[in-house]
C-alpha cells in the first residue's frame, strides 16, 4: 500500500526566502506525481504535474523535482510571498489507467511580512 | 485543464437527513472522483464515479451511505445519507483529464448538527 509523507508539517518563513517542501513515497512504481495548493476552507489548485519519466517541472517561481528510485519529490518556491501562504499537498498516482491518487499529509506554509 | 464547480458550497443539516452535492465540469473528463476531507486531515477517496454504471467504492465507504450518480461525462452527484455529526467534512469532486492531470472543485463544507 502506497504511503506518502510530507516534511515539514508546518513551516514559517519571512517574505523573500527560498524554500523547499519535501514529499516521500514508499512505492516507486508510480505513474505521476502532482503538487497541489489548498487555501483554508477551499478546494485544491493543481500546481505541477510530473510524469514518472520526468525529473522536474517548472512553473513561474515553482520548481518540482522527482527522484522515483528513491521515492522523493521536492517543491522549490523561489522568493516567497505572503500570497504563497497555504497548505501544499503532494499526491502520487499508481500505475494503471484506473489508479487513484494517494495524498500526503500536507505542509502548512506561512510567509510573513 | 478543467474547471469544476460544486453546489452547494456549504450547508448545515440536521441529523438523519440527506444532502445531495452536485458537481459540474466544463469539459469532458475521463474519470470523476469524490473525496472527503475531515477537519485538519488530508483527502480520502470515497469512490470513483463511473458513467452509466455503479460507482466503485473504496474500503470503508458503501453505496447505501454515499450513493453516487454520473449520467454523463461532465456531471456527477454525491448524496450523503442519514447524516450524523461524524459526516461533517468538506466533500470534494475531482476530474481527471486525458488520463493525467487531476483537477478539483472548490468543495462543499457540510456541518451536521
Amino acid at each position: 500500500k502506497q504511503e506518502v509523507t510530507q516534511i515539514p508539517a508546518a513551516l514559517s518563513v519571512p517574505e523573500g526566502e527560498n524554500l523547499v517542501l519535501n514529499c516521500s513515497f514508499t512505492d516507486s512504481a508510480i505513474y505521476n506525481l502532482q503538487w497541489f495548493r489548498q487555501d483554508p476552507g477551499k478546494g485544491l489548485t493543481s500546481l505541477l504535474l510530473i510524469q514518472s519519466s520526468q525529473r522536474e517541472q517548472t512553473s513561474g517561481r515553482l520548481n518540482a523535482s522527482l527522484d522515483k528510485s528513491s521515492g522523493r519529490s521536492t517543491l522549490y518556491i523561489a522568493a516567497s510571498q505572503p500570497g504563497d501562504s497555504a497548505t501544499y499537498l503532494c499526491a502520487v498516482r499508481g500505475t494503471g489507467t484506473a489508479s487513484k491518487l494517494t495524498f500526503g499529509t500536507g505542509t502548512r506554509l506561512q510567509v510573513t511580512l | 485543464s478543467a474547471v469544476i464547480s460544486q453546489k452547494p458550497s456549504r450547508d448545515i443539516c440536521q441529523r438523519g437527513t440527506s444532502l445531495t452535492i452536485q458537481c459540474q465540469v466544463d469539459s469532458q473528463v475521463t474519470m470523476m472522483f469524490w473525496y472527503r476531507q475531515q477537519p485538519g486531515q488530508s483527502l480520502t477517496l470515497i469512490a470513483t464515479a463511473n458513467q452509466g454504471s455503479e460507482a466503485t467504492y473504496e474500503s470503508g465507504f458503501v453505496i447505501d451511505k454515499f450513493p453516487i450518480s454520473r449520467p454523463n461525462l461532465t456531471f456527477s452527484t454525491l448524496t450523503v445519507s442519514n447524516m450524523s455529526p461524524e459526516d461533517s467534512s468538506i466533500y470534494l469532486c475531482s476530474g481527471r483529464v486525458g488520463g493525467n492531470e487531476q483537477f478539483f472543485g472548490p468543495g462543499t463544507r457540510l456541518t451536521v448538527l
Side-chain angles (χ1 to χ4, degrees), chain A residues 6 23 30 32-36 45-51 64 73 89-93 101-104, chain B residues 94-96 100-104:
Chain A
Q6 291 185 245
C23 172
I30 66 169
N32 59 36
L33 182 147
Q34 239 178 304
W35 282 93
F36 295 91
T45 300
S46 178
L47 298 174
L48 288 164
L49 170 73
I50 309 178
Q51 302 292 354
S73 176
L89 295 160
C90 77
V92 297
R93 180 183 160 191
L101 288 180
T102 301
F103 280 85
Chain B
S94 177
R96 183 177 290 169
N100 280 308
E101 195 166 2
Q102 205 161 314
F103 296 89
F104 284 78

Side-chain angles (χ1 to χ4, degrees), chain A residues 31-32 34 36 38 41-44 46 49 51 89 93 97-101 103-104, chain B residues 31 33 35 37 42-43 45 58 90 92 96 99-107 109:
Chain A
Y31 187 81
N32 59 36
Q34 239 178 304
F36 295 91
Q38 186 175 33
K42 305 291 186 183
L44 277 65
S46 178
L49 170 73
Q51 302 292 354
L89 295 160
R93 180 183 160 191
T97 55
S99 58
K100 62 182 182 180
L101 288 180
F103 280 85
Chain B
M31 301 183 78
F33 307 89
Y35 290 81
Q37 186 176 32
S42 193
L43 279 73
L45 179 64
E58 297 297 305
I90 298 175
L92 295 132
R96 183 177 290 169
N100 280 308
E101 195 166 2
Q102 205 161 314
F103 296 89
F104 284 78
R109 181 182 292 273

Side-chain angles (χ1 to χ4, degrees), chain B:
Chain B
S1 68
V3 176
I4 300 178
S5 59
Q6 287 183 233
K7 290 195 295 187
S9 58
R10 60 176 60 223
D11 208 341
I12 300 173
C13 300
Q14 295 297 319
R15 180 194 302 257
T17 63
S18 298
L19 175 72
T20 296
I21 303 167
Q22 298 180 3
C23 174
Q24 180 72 55
V25 189
D26 70 341
S27 58
Q28 292 185 357
V29 291
T30 53
M31 301 183 78
M32 292 182 76
F33 307 89
W34 286 97
Y35 290 81
R36 180 172 74 181
Q37 186 176 32
Q38 295 184 303
Q41 310 250 341
S42 193
L43 279 73
T44 300
L45 179 64
I46 297 172
T48 301
N50 301 309
Q51 187 203 354
S53 64
E54 193 172 288
T56 304
Y57 290 84
E58 297 297 305
S59 175
F61 297 96
V62 295
I63 188 172
D64 290 346
K65 176 68 176 177
F66 298 102
I68 289 170
S69 77
R70 187 182 174 191
N72 57 52
L73 290 174
T74 62
F75 185 80
S76 178
T77 66
L78 167 74
T79 299
V80 186
S81 304
N82 188 26
M83 289 184 284
S84 67
E86 292 70 36
D87 295 320
S88 297
S89 286
I90 298 175
Y91 291 86
L92 295 132
C93 174
S94 177
R96 183 177 290 169
V97 177
N100 280 308
E101 195 166 2
Q102 205 161 314
F103 296 89
F104 284 78
T108 296
R109 181 182 292 273
L110 171 63
T111 302
V112 184
L113 302 177

Side-chain angles (χ1 to χ4, degrees), chain A residues 39-99:
Chain A
D39 292 285
K42 305 291 186 183
L44 277 65
T45 300
S46 178
L47 298 174
L48 288 164
L49 170 73
I50 309 178
Q51 302 292 354
S52 63
S53 59
Q54 296 176 322
R55 298 283 294 184
E56 66 178 322
Q57 281 286 337
T58 298
S59 176
R61 294 183 294 109
L62 305 179
N63 177 276
S65 68
L66 173 64
D67 185 343
K68 197 173 70 166
S69 61
S70 68
R72 294 184 179 184
S73 176
T74 61
L75 179 66
Y76 174 83
I77 303 177
S80 58
Q81 303 170 358
D84 295 330
S85 299
T87 296
Y88 290 80
L89 295 160
C90 77
V92 297
R93 180 183 160 191
T95 55
T97 55
S99 58

